[in-house]
Amino acid sequence: MNERVIGYIESIVKERPALISEMEHYAEVHGVPIMELVGIEALLGMLRIQQPKRILEIGTAIGYSALRMAEALPETTVVTLERDEERFEAAQRFLSRSKDGNRIVTIFGDALELSEVVKKHGPFDAIFIDAAKGQYLKFFDLYSAMLTENGVVYSDNVLFKGLVAEVQVEQKRIRNMVKKLQNYNTWLMNHEQFDTSILPVGDGIAISKKRGDQW
Ligand code: SAM
């Protein structure tokens, strides 16, 4: 989406509560990659329609998207995973200041090693993947088994600033990440048990709906 349109949407999005604005400011000052405003608003819109009762989030950072989801869905529990200690502690501090924080379960560690712990909190109606881009396929494989019958997996950053559409990417590290995301997108679009659509909002969000009736 072009910058003017993004700026326009941002200018008319409702003002956020003070704690949320403080988290947005903290993320900017400390260089923490939280979801883009237009992206999180689109995700919240989809979640308001879906009304999941339990959400699993992979990638808490400072708890921004977890808190936004909990605020938007007052009946919902969010279980969220983070492996960076400093961010995890910042998330604990922010979430303890919100009345909605008691519906957010924060778990510290590498998501690829936490499935047994996470299983005890499931099953989940929605899974939100927003962590290491190179590992999306592994996250999906590991945790989609914990989805309820008609569950949905939302994956952020699948367009990676548009780089997935580039023929040639200069930097090797970025190129590898782009390749992994391209593989993930293709794999997801062809997954037999899910119907997937990719929305070009924020950094690109894939919505994968489980074909509950057939499997
Ligand atoms: N969802 C957050 C938000 O919008 O507020 C932003 C998450 S940030 C883009 C990604 C986070 O995932 C980082 O803080 C990173 O440390 C964490 N992460 C990456 N790989 C992970 C893994 N394998 N297990 C747990 N956390 C991971």
Side-chain angles (χ1 to χ4, degrees):
M1 219 184 307
N2 81 44
E3 293 299 323
R4 277 182 62 199
V5 176
I6 293 169
Y8 168 72
I9 299 173
E10 287 176 349
S11 76
I12 58 170
V13 167
K14 262 201 289 187
E15 214 173 293
R16 271 84 64 212
L19 179 59
I20 293 291
S21 299
E22 190 184 326
M23 291 169 90
E24 288 172 357
H25 180 71
Y26 178 100
E28 197 175 336
V29 171
H30 293 84
V32 180
I34 61 169
M35 256 195 117
E36 294 173 25
L37 186 56
V38 176
I40 185 83
E41 291 294 333
L43 177 69
L44 295 180
M46 292 183 277
L47 291 172
R48 283 190 196 101
I49 297 167
Q50 190 204 345
Q51 291 290 321
K53 290 282 168 267
R54 301 188 74 77
I55 301 175
L56 170 66
E57 175 183 64
I58 305 170
T60 319
I62 58 167
Y64 176 75
S65 51
L67 186 54
R68 297 229 47 201
M69 293 190 283
E71 283 183 355
L73 303 162
E75 310 276 291
T76 300
T77 299
V78 180
V79 176
T80 180
L81 319 179
E82 175 57 55
R83 68 178 176 188
D84 181 287
E85 202 168 350
E86 202 178 323
R87 288 180 186 173
F88 181 77
E89 281 168 8
Q92 309 263 71
R93 285 196 301 275
F94 280 123
L95 298 177
S96 69
R97 290 170 52 197
S98 167
K99 67 170 175 40
D100 298 300
N102 60 359
R103 285 182 290 110
I104 302 175
V105 180
T106 52
I107 301 177
F108 178 71
D110 190 319
L112 294 176
E113 295 164 8
L114 288 173
S115 63
E116 287 308 311
V117 181
V118 172
K119 207 189 235 171
K120 295 181 191 138
H121 296 274
F124 303 96
D125 308 296
I127 297 178
F128 174 44
I129 303 179
D130 189 17
K133 294 177 194 58
Q135 296 180 321
Y136 272 27
L137 208 152
K138 287 186 187 161
F139 296 141
F140 191 105
D141 246 356
L142 193 57
Y143 288 109
S144 60
M146 296 181 198
L147 270 183
T148 49
E149 197 178 333
N150 287 299
V152 181
V153 180
Y154 301 89
S155 311
D156 191 32
N157 309 113
V158 295
L159 298 180
F160 196 16
K161 301 177 203 321
L163 288 170
V164 289
E166 296 295 323
V167 180
Q168 191 76 33
V169 176
E170 289 299 318
Q171 275 177 285
K172 193 176 171 202
R173 196 180 69 85
I174 306 283
R175 190 164 62 234
N176 287 341
M177 219 180 278
V178 168
K179 271 199 187 131
K180 286 193 171 159
L181 275 174
Q182 288 169 331
N183 283 345
Y184 178 67
N185 289 341
T186 308
W187 175 82
L188 206 48
M189 295 301 262
N190 292 294
H191 200 302
E192 289 193 334
Q193 295 171 34
F194 288 84
D195 288 313
T196 295
S197 314
I198 294 179
L199 301 188
V201 287
D203 202 23
I205 303 173
I207 312 160
S208 308
K209 160 86 175 54
K210 195 168 164 184
R211 290 189 193 146
D213 50 343
Q214 293 171 31
W215 295 87

